[in-house]
Amino acid sequence: MCGSLSRRIRDCLSSRKNNRTRLVGKDGRCNIAYGNIKYANHYAFVADFWTTLVEIQWRYVLLFFIGSFTITWFLFALLWYWIAKNNGDLYWQNPSSDHKPCIWGVWGLTTAFLYSLETQTTIGYGVRAVTPYCPGGVALVTIQAVFGAFFNCFMCGLVMSKISSPKKRGKTITFSEMAVISPKNGSLCLSIRVANLRKSLMIGSQIYGKLLRTKNTLDGETVIIDQVNIDFMVDAGKDSLFFVYPFTLHHIIDKNSPFFEMTEDTLHKQDFELVVFLDGTAESTSSSHQVRTSFVPQEIMWGYDFLPIISKSKDDKYRVDFSNFSKVVPVTTAESAYCFYNISSHLPHPSDGYDNQGFEVIEIGDRSHVTTM
């Protein structure tokens, strides 16, 4: 039991280490921090306040929503209180019985706040109202009504932009948890499965990848994040995919592939990150978006293939079984690309010997190099 617990702890720590070293998480978020930014550059985020508000988290948006309305109501309440005070409408000013107030029902700061709230939100309970005896009150109610209309439009637009963000549409695009390496159509391929969970199509979908790794150049420079293009394709082509059912993406491991030198034994010892991108436009909203995910060496399974998930029912309908979306089965696969393509120049051969794969009895002519046991 102790051994099983310690193994689970090691696996958990290893998993957390892999997550920390990712540049792009499985959910597409980039794991990068910016430091030593000049203080003056922070004003750029204020100047582009709309993008800043759209990109911040929901809890800050709700805080801004509630706080901004409350503050504007209170600021206008102070103006209404000032007008009422100048006109002698407050209760502690003891107005006469024939006094003509600027605002009916406003005799203190609390009632001024309630009147400001009712004016800006156009509630109008009928208890408090501006009178025609005070030109300043008429002007202020006009200004607050126009300001409230613009401010309500701004806040509604902010909430709608948050709700309709293209990132939310990307949540319905899912990738397989693991990538596999197996033979496909006479080639050794790295395969990844991707699916659109909605029935609405993705228009102009394009799929590509980047291999991120640390590289030492010939000049002695160390490139922390060196990007190598990884081409993916499906049976239907590479560009403008008909993304109505799950696809299996294939990267052919040939001499131009960075995976060509890797073997089944050395794959998990490598230090790289494979980032896969899917760009497309949502059919229903016409919004462009990008979906990302990444795979580390421990998430690439050599000698496995995905289970089929598309079938045809008896009533001539196509059915997608997502229970097998990330399930894999072992298949016969060469341990390296060199073995798969039978490249003999890379395979080790004895300098003195004979190829006798059938274990036949043969005669060796020259016995001068034969060692006697």
Side-chain angles (χ1 to χ4, degrees), residues 93-105:
Q93 292 178 314
N94 298 321
S96 60
S97 58
D98 58 347
H99 177 72
K100 295 180 179 179
C102 279
I103 311 103
W104 289 106

Side-chain angles (χ1 to χ4, degrees), residues 133-149:
Y133 308 112
C134 187
V138 176
L140 184 59
V141 74
T142 305
I143 294 173
Q144 187 173 6
V146 175
F147 172 81

Side-chain angles (χ1 to χ4, degrees), residues 114-190:
L114 292 175
Y115 178 70
S116 175
L117 187 153
E118 294 172 15
T119 301
Q120 189 165 328
T121 56
T122 65
I123 294 177
Y125 290 116
V127 179
R128 279 168 283 272
V130 66
T131 63
Y133 308 112
C134 187
V138 176
L140 184 59
V141 74
T142 305
I143 294 173
Q144 187 173 6
V146 175
F147 172 81
F150 276 100
F151 193 73
N152 290 339
C153 292
F154 176 84
M155 297 305 298
C156 290
L158 175 61
V159 174
M160 287 299 299
S161 297
K162 290 286 292 183
I163 295 176
S164 61
S165 173
K167 295 181 180 179
K168 305 303 179 183
R169 178 62 177 92
K171 299 295 183 181
T172 57
I173 305 295
T174 180
F175 290 87
S176 57
E177 292 294 329
M178 309 293 288
V180 297
I181 296 178
S182 59
K184 289 291 181 182
N185 299 325
S187 301
L188 188 64
C189 296
L190 183 145

Side-chain angles (χ1 to χ4, degrees), residues 66-366:
I66 297 172
S68 57
F69 272 107
T70 305
I71 291 174
T72 54
W73 294 337
F74 182 74
L75 292 178
F76 276 101
L78 294 178
L79 295 177
W80 288 116
Y81 183 82
W82 176 71
I83 291 177
K85 179 183 177 182
N86 288 340
N87 196 52
D89 298 340
L90 303 181
Y91 68 93
W92 54 267
Q93 292 178 314
N94 298 321
S96 60
S97 58
D98 58 347
H99 177 72
K100 295 180 179 179
C102 279
I103 311 103
W104 289 106
V106 175
W107 55 79
L109 183 60
T110 302
T111 53
F113 179 81
L114 292 175
Y115 178 70
S116 175
L117 187 153
E118 294 172 15
T119 301
Q120 189 165 328
T121 56
T122 65
I123 294 177
Y125 290 116
V127 179
R128 279 168 283 272
V130 66
T131 63
Y133 308 112
C134 187
V138 176
L140 184 59
V141 74
T142 305
I143 294 173
Q144 187 173 6
V146 175
F147 172 81
F150 276 100
F151 193 73
N152 290 339
C153 292
F154 176 84
M155 297 305 298
C156 290
L158 175 61
V159 174
M160 287 299 299
S161 297
K162 290 286 292 183
I163 295 176
S164 61
S165 173
K167 295 181 180 179
K168 305 303 179 183
R169 178 62 177 92
K171 299 295 183 181
T172 57
I173 305 295
T174 180
F175 290 87
S176 57
E177 292 294 329
M178 309 293 288
V180 297
I181 296 178
S182 59
K184 289 291 181 182
N185 299 325
S187 301
L188 188 64
C189 296
L190 183 145
S191 303
I192 301 169
R193 183 167 278 176
V194 59
N196 178 17
L197 301 181
R198 289 188 179 274
K199 292 185 178 180
S200 59
L201 298 181
M202 299 299 302
I203 303 174
S205 299
Q206 296 182 353
I207 300 173
Y208 56 96
K210 297 286 185 180
L211 187 71
L212 310 179
R213 59 185 179 182
T214 302
K215 179 182 178 181
N216 295 322
T217 62
L218 298 178
D219 299 332
E221 180 184 359
T222 300
V223 181
I224 301 299
I225 303 177
D226 179 56
Q227 301 186 18
V228 180
N229 292 327
I230 302 295
D231 293 328
F232 284 97
M233 62 177 300
V234 296
D235 296 336
K238 184 178 179 181
D239 298 329
S240 300
L241 304 178
F242 185 46
F243 201 6
V244 71
Y245 59 89
F247 280 127
T248 301
L249 315 177
H250 303 296
H251 167 69
I252 300 177
I253 302 178
D254 53 14
K255 290 184 178 181
N256 298 322
S257 172
F259 298 97
F260 189 77
E261 298 290 339
M262 302 180 190
T263 65
E264 182 179 4
D265 297 331
T266 62
L267 174 63
H268 292 172
K269 300 178 183 179
Q270 302 293 324
D271 184 16
F272 65 84
E273 180 180 353
L274 175 61
V275 184
V276 182
F277 303 86
L278 188 148
D279 298 339
T281 303
E283 182 185 32
S284 55
T285 61
S286 299
S287 59
S288 301
H289 70 277
Q290 181 183 86
V291 186
R292 301 178 293 270
T293 190
S294 68
F295 298 88
V296 294
Q298 291 74 19
E299 295 172 342
I300 301 177
M301 305 177 66
W302 193 295
Y304 286 83
D305 197 6
F306 292 110
L307 286 174
I309 61 174
I310 301 178
S311 60
K312 196 172 184 179
S313 60
K314 295 181 180 180
D315 53 351
D316 290 336
K317 290 185 178 180
Y318 294 97
R319 181 176 181 271
V320 179
D321 184 9
F322 278 98
S323 62
N324 293 333
F325 181 74
S326 294
K327 292 183 179 180
V328 296
V329 292
V331 294
T332 303
T333 308
E335 64 179 6
S336 67
Y338 284 98
C339 295
F340 181 85
Y341 295 109
N342 196 19
I343 302 177
S344 58
S345 59
H346 184 77
L347 299 177
H349 292 280
S351 58
D352 295 319
Y354 295 85
D355 188 8
N356 188 17
Q357 298 180 355
F359 297 97
E360 300 177 358
V361 178
I362 60 176
E363 295 292 336
I364 300 178
D366 185 8

